[in-house]
Amino acid sequence: MPDISLLEPMVLRGVVEKFTAPETLTMLARIPQTSWPFPSVTWDVIRGSRMVAKPNVPNSEAHIVPRLGRSQESAAFIYLREKKVFSPTTLHWLRAPGELASTQAEQAVLREVADLNQRFDNFAEFLIWSALKGSIIFDYADVQASVDYKFPASHKPTSAHAWNTATPQQIVGDIRAWKRLIRRDGRVEAKEVFATETTMTYYASGTLPGFMGLNWQPIETVYDDDAGNSTLFVPDNALYMGNYTDQRPIEMMVGPTADDEAPDGFTGKFSKTWKDKDPSARQFLLEWHLLPVITRPEQMIYVSSVV
């Protein structure tokens, strides 16, 4: 078998750590990731205060005011653990002697590693867009669970008028109302809107950068399920609006690995490869504990339908 460095555990983990999310995975590529050493994650949901201060007089005790409004939420990490058996072509290059075989083996192994990593990144992007709707709901054969991100009901509106028949003034009225909601509750200015091209075409001016003070970003990226069905990360006829940068309102928490071959305290994507003897086969495994958290839900809204 060629002596390829990718099969060394430290080298393999280093390669996985250097992968970056593609630009097409808009949210995964931009939100911060935070290591969390515990098996479940806890975060604060922070709501700004609209109370005003009260006058006092000199030489008297200061008024005691309540702490910033917040609640504490917790949830278990989402656990990804998948593996793949290297293809016959990869196994051929792993077994063949010589420099050419070593080069081909490196490339074949890297393709398999990158493919599995891409599956994980696609799932992480799916999680983020789900969280930005206000909740994540899992209904898989092995996992049934939900995470509530405490969006106020008013931050999950529908449009006052169906955009496919509304006048431009009515659509502007919707956008103005949603911006005002974020400014009032979140105490920040709405900066961005994410929607599909189909949604944006209901009002042509909405596709222009800076329309109504917002950066309109079309999202057309899709993912495929196990049955091969393609689904948009951002649904048609819906939109996400908010301030997703100020005060670090959303981040991806990354937890410790559960694999007993991982280094102590290891967080992040853990990978390993091994050879089975009967039948002879080479396998590659990737594991990741992750969960997006939203600490300031009042800075964003999810409009489930504009038509």
Side-chain angles (χ1 to χ4, degrees):
M1 178 182 297
D3 183 19
I4 67 170
S5 59
L6 267 178
L7 297 180
E8 297 295 328
M10 292 297 293
V11 175
L12 182 59
R13 287 197 290 271
V15 169
V16 172
E17 288 173 1
K18 284 183 170 60
F19 283 133
T20 57
E23 292 182 0
T24 52
L25 300 183
T26 305
M27 280 300 176
L28 182 60
R30 62 179 281 178
I31 71 169
Q33 295 191 19
T34 302
S35 293
W36 188 261
F38 308 109
S40 62
V41 60
T42 302
W43 70 98
D44 288 334
V45 176
I46 302 170
R47 294 176 172 82
S49 170
R50 290 184 286 272
M51 300 295 293
V52 297
K54 295 185 295 186
N56 206 330
V57 295
N59 302 317
S60 63
E61 182 181 355
H63 297 140
I64 298 175
V65 298
R67 294 180 59 194
L68 189 68
R70 69 179 66 199
S71 63
Q72 194 170 77
E73 304 297 326
S74 64
F77 279 106
I78 297 159
Y79 183 44
L80 297 182
R81 184 177 173 89
E82 293 189 339
K83 65 180 181 179
K84 59 165 55 185
V85 179
F86 290 164
S87 68
T89 302
T90 303
L91 293 175
H92 167 77
W93 291 120
L94 286 173
R95 292 167 180 158
E99 184 176 342
L100 174 62
S102 180
T103 300
Q104 296 285 1
E106 290 270 7
Q107 294 174 350
V109 170
L110 186 58
R111 282 195 298 270
E112 302 285 5
V113 172
D115 179 65
L116 199 51
N117 183 76
Q118 182 67 58
R119 286 174 57 90
F120 278 39
D121 284 352
N122 289 342
F123 186 76
E125 182 79 357
F126 163 77
L127 286 181
I128 297 168
W129 287 115
S130 297
L132 291 174
K133 293 179 182 180
S135 64
I136 298 176
I137 299 174
F138 299 104
D139 187 16
Y140 297 94
D142 297 327
V143 179
Q144 295 84 40
S146 63
V147 181
D148 184 353
Y149 289 97
K150 304 302 179 182
F151 277 39
S154 59
H155 285 246
K156 294 187 283 187
T158 56
S159 56
H161 309 276
W163 280 17
N164 57 342
T165 58
T167 65
Q169 291 79 12
Q170 289 171 330
I171 294 175
V172 167
D174 275 340
I175 297 169
R176 182 175 291 118
W178 298 333
K179 288 183 62 179
R180 184 169 179 263
L181 184 67
I182 292 168
R183 186 186 308 114
R184 184 195 69 192
D185 294 347
R187 312 289 284 195
V188 294
E189 291 293 328
K191 292 183 177 180
E192 299 175 279
V193 177
F194 299 96
T196 63
E197 293 280 6
T198 299
T199 305
M200 289 186 181
T201 56
Y202 291 133
Y203 185 57
S205 299
T207 64
L208 298 176
F211 172 65
M212 292 191 70
L214 296 163
N215 181 17
W216 294 75
Q217 301 185 52
I219 305 293
E220 294 291 326
T221 314
V222 299
Y223 63 91
D224 294 336
D225 61 21
D226 289 339
N229 301 311
S230 293
T231 304
L232 288 159
F233 283 111
V234 173
D236 278 332
N237 304 324
L239 61 81
Y240 299 76
M241 178 188 294
N243 186 317
Y244 302 99
T245 53
D246 293 357
Q247 305 179 105
R248 200 180 176 100
I250 179 171
E251 57 189 302
M252 180 67 79
M253 308 300 288
V254 179
T257 184
D259 195 290
D260 63 5
E261 294 184 32
D264 290 342
F266 183 88
T267 59
K269 292 175 180 173
F270 174 73
S271 58
K272 65 180 181 180
T273 180
W274 68 94
K275 183 178 179 180
D276 291 333
K277 293 184 178 181
D278 186 18
S280 180
R282 171 69 63 170
Q283 298 193 40
F284 166 69
L285 178 142
L286 191 62
E287 181 194 87
W288 199 16
H289 266 145
L290 72 162
L291 184 73
V293 300
I294 296 176
T295 57
R296 295 182 181 268
E298 292 178 327
Q299 289 187 196
M300 54 197 74
I301 64 171
Y302 173 67
V303 184
S304 59
S305 177
V306 296
V307 298

